[in-house]
Amino acid sequence: AQSVTQPDIHITVSEGASLELRCNYSYGATPYLFWYVQSPGQGLQLLLKYFSGDTLVQGIKGFEAEFKRSQSSFNLRKPSVHWSDAAEYFCAVGGTGGYQKVTFGTGTKLQVIP
Amino acid sequence: EAGVAQSPRYKIIEKRQSVAFWCNPISGHATLYWYQQILGQGPKLLIQFQNNGVVDDSQLPKDRFSAERLKGVDSTLKIQPAKLEDSAVYLCASTGSSYNEQFFGPGTRLTVL
């Protein structure tokens, strides 16, 4: 069965500092990987996705993520965090080939301090 | 392009009452999902439709939850009777590609008292 682990429940960073959110997945083959962001009272917005090819993917709002097959990881990074980045971030894994189920992690809540 | 629409946005009911949520996916999206997101947790898939057929409902509590997608467009999710533990945000999402990139609606926040 596929699964996603986000080991950090809550992270606090200073505005302007760099950010890395961890994500480890379990899947039997090459997965589709996603990062979503959820602001309070809102639905989920896709930040970026990995399907194949270049293992470093760029997303919206200056985010990037790197797929590391050997570590089963898909960590999200941003070089300089803005106060507006405060939100909850979800990593998700989905199967390839057709309309497969997508499984979400439990999320990491990001707090940005001035 | 219009996004995924959901209504109502908020609902408060007493336990043992029934409630229904509505979702209108992005036009042309064949796949529709209902998720339950309990506070502090990630979304949990309740049911997945492909057009008007059910692909996966393995985590749907079928004794109280039901969902339908008539004509392969709009969908409704019903809870009858509601329990306290059903308090959550119910998210609808849709996708039109085989890459599982899902587009989410704003959700319906259900409070069961």
Side-chain angles (χ1 to χ4, degrees):
Chain A
Q2 62 197 53
S3 66
V4 176
T5 301
Q6 293 182 248
D8 303 307
I9 297 172
H10 189 274
I11 282 183
T12 300
V13 300
S14 298
E15 190 168 16
S18 63
L19 171 71
E20 182 168 29
L21 302 183
R22 296 183 291 166
C23 171
N24 291 97
Y25 68 90
S26 174
Y27 189 76
T30 300
Y32 291 159
L33 294 161
F34 310 87
W35 274 100
Y36 286 85
V37 61
Q38 186 177 36
S39 298
Q42 304 296 315
L44 279 72
Q45 180 185 20
L46 183 69
L47 283 176
L48 49 77
K49 58 187 181 286
Y50 171 80
F51 295 146
S52 64
D54 193 347
T55 56
L56 184 64
V57 294
Q58 303 295 322
I60 62 171
K61 304 184 181 186
F63 285 92
E64 66 178 26
E66 186 171 12
F67 170 57
K68 292 186 176 180
R69 185 189 304 275
S70 61
Q71 298 176 22
S72 298
S73 69
F74 189 57
N75 294 348
L76 182 71
R77 300 194 294 249
K78 186 169 185 178
S80 178
V81 170
H82 188 262
W83 64 266
S84 61
D85 294 325
E88 191 149 21
Y89 292 80
F90 293 93
C91 182
V93 62
T96 60
Y99 297 89
Q100 300 289 328
K101 175 180 174 179
V102 174
T103 300
F104 287 82
T106 51
T108 298
K109 182 166 286 188
L110 174 65
Q111 181 181 8
V112 180
I113 57 177
Chain B
E1 153 181 277
V4 176
Q6 288 188 249
S7 67
R9 291 295 310 277
Y10 305 92
K11 190 73 177 179
I12 300 174
I13 61 173
E14 302 276 337
K15 60 182 180 183
R16 291 188 288 273
Q17 286 186 320
S18 62
V19 64
F21 312 128
W22 173 82
C23 173
N24 181 237
I26 292 173
S27 178
H29 280 193
T31 309
L32 184 148
Y33 310 80
W34 282 103
Y35 290 90
Q36 180 192 60
Q37 186 178 20
I38 293 173
L39 187 65
Q41 299 181 20
K44 182 185 85 170
L45 180 68
L46 292 176
I47 189 166
Q48 176 181 344
F49 291 96
Q50 179 69 17
N51 295 308
N52 59 352
V54 175
V55 174
D56 184 347
D57 64 356
S58 57
Q59 298 192 88
L60 186 73
K62 298 180 186 64
D63 58 333
R64 298 185 300 106
F65 286 64
S66 64
E68 61 181 8
R69 190 182 185 198
L70 299 176
K71 301 180 182 179
V73 183
D74 293 9
S75 177
T76 56
L77 176 69
K78 297 179 182 177
I79 307 175
Q80 182 180 7
K83 292 185 175 181
L84 296 178
E85 58 261 37
D86 298 332
S87 294
V89 175
Y90 291 84
L91 295 165
C92 179
S94 69
T95 180
S97 79
S98 60
Y99 295 112
N100 291 328
E101 178 181 341
Q102 298 180 25
F103 296 84
F104 283 82
T108 296
R109 181 176 297 277
L110 173 68
T111 302
V112 182
L113 303 175

